[in-house]
Structures are given as structure tokens and as C-alpha cells.
Amino acid sequence: GSVWIADSIAHTLFNFPKSPGEDHVSATSDVLQDINAVRFDSAHALWLATGRGLYRILPNLIGTLPRHTRAAGTLTEFSHSALEKDQFLVADGLSNREVKAVLEDREGNIWVGTANGLDRFSDRSVTQFDIGHLASDLIAGPHSEVWASQFGASPFLIPLHDCKPYLLRNWYTRSFYMD
């Protein structure tokens, strides 16, 4: 395994294959500004949840990211023309361009937490769910459901086939995790 780190202030995405002292992949671009979450899907595409929308970097493009060595000491600007064709915006069905979280569920749907709620990409269509707040934390449950929560808000359970969000309780949620 390797570690992926997004630095939204420096507009840089890092990948450390072994350890931070080793050579690593790094890319910088305006597209990489405001990264809120980084996730891989089952097809090995890299998804970036950003303040400018949702981006997908296909597996064949991940290997083309510039390699940064300690000797070189500089970052290389990553051409974002390839990213633009895999950018998802409000015009593509997102409920808001401010994307906070991204998750692939057990059925291959991509769930996106935005400033306006929760969106599900499934078979080239988008379904929007109004959960009353921004979804900043998403986890896939063991029985084809997704859990969505915002820092300080009550979590929602969304069964995939019924699609009706259920408010669980009036909790002040800081974080959640499913093992």
C-alpha cells in the first residue's frame, strides 16, 4: 500500500509508495485546489472531492503523474486537460459544486457529499438526496446501505434499494467508522 496526501493550500497531491523519505509522486495544479477527500474505486480510478467539483483520475493517468525526487527538489505542474473531461459539476447532476466526501458502495455506485446534501452516481444517472445538511462523512454499511453524517449533526442511514434517508437519532456526531 501507499499513502496519498492532498494539500489543498499548496494545490498539491502526493503519493508516497513506501515512506515519506523515499522518492514520491507529486502533482500540482489549480484543479487540485480545495481537495476535501481522496478515494479509490474498485476500478482503481482516483476520485478527488474538491471545492470546484468532483474529479476522477483514471488508472492509466495516475502513472503519468510527475515523479518528485529529493534531488530534483521541485514540483511539476500537472496538466489538467485530462482531468477536465472527468470533472463532474452541477451541470452533470451534482447538487452543489462544493464536494466534501466521496465513497463507492458495495454495488459500485459513487456517493458524493456536497454542500447541498448527498448525490448518488449510478449507471450514468445522478440521484439527489435531501438530508437537510452537508454530508461530510460517508461509510458503506454491510447490507447495501450508506451512512452519511456531517460533523456535529445526526447521522442518516440510506438503504440503497429503498433510497429513503432515515434520521437515526438526535446525536452530535463528530466521526464514525465501521469495522
Side-chain angles (χ1 to χ4, degrees):
S2 64
V3 176
W4 288 84
I5 299 171
D7 182 341
S8 60
I9 295 172
H11 309 180
T12 305
L13 181 65
F14 298 96
N15 173 238
F16 295 97
K18 295 180 182 170
S19 69
E22 302 283 324
D23 292 350
H24 60 277
V25 171
S26 61
T28 184
S29 172
D30 283 342
V31 171
L32 302 175
Q33 167 173 323
D34 301 326
I35 298 175
N36 297 311
V38 176
R39 294 286 183 272
F40 277 91
D41 65 17
S42 58
H44 307 290
L46 176 63
W47 292 83
L48 303 174
T50 77
R52 296 178 172 198
L54 179 67
Y55 293 88
R56 177 179 58 191
I57 303 175
L58 298 174
N60 61 327
L61 291 176
I62 293 170
T64 66
L65 293 174
R67 189 158 241 11
H68 178 85
T69 63
R70 283 207 252 177
T74 60
L75 294 176
T76 305
E77 182 77 15
F78 179 59
S79 168
H80 58 83
S81 59
L83 287 181
E84 288 175 343
K85 65 181 173 188
D86 275 349
Q87 179 184 21
F88 302 94
L89 303 166
V90 174
D92 301 307
L94 279 179
S95 57
N96 190 287
R97 77 181 219 151
E98 179 71 27
V99 179
K100 293 294 188 182
V102 63
L103 169 81
E104 181 182 30
D105 68 24
R106 299 183 193 290
E107 295 184 5
N109 301 304
I110 299 296
W111 292 80
V112 181
T114 75
N116 284 352
L118 186 62
D119 305 334
R120 181 184 67 195
F121 285 77
S122 174
D123 298 325
R124 304 223 183 264
S125 66
V126 180
T127 305
Q128 297 179 359
F129 298 88
D130 180 13
I131 58 174
H133 58 71
L134 167 139
S136 59
D137 204 359
L138 301 171
I139 57 174
H143 306 290
S144 296
E145 77 274 6
V146 170
W147 297 74
S149 185
Q150 175 189 12
F151 182 82
S154 296
F156 280 82
L157 172 66
I158 300 103
L160 295 184
H161 301 290
D162 153 335
C163 295
K164 178 184 175 195
Y166 296 100
L167 178 64
L168 294 180
R169 286 201 171 175
N170 228 356
W171 291 331
Y172 183 85
T173 307
R174 294 187 70 110
S175 176
F176 57 36
Y177 170 79
M178 183 169 293
D179 60 9

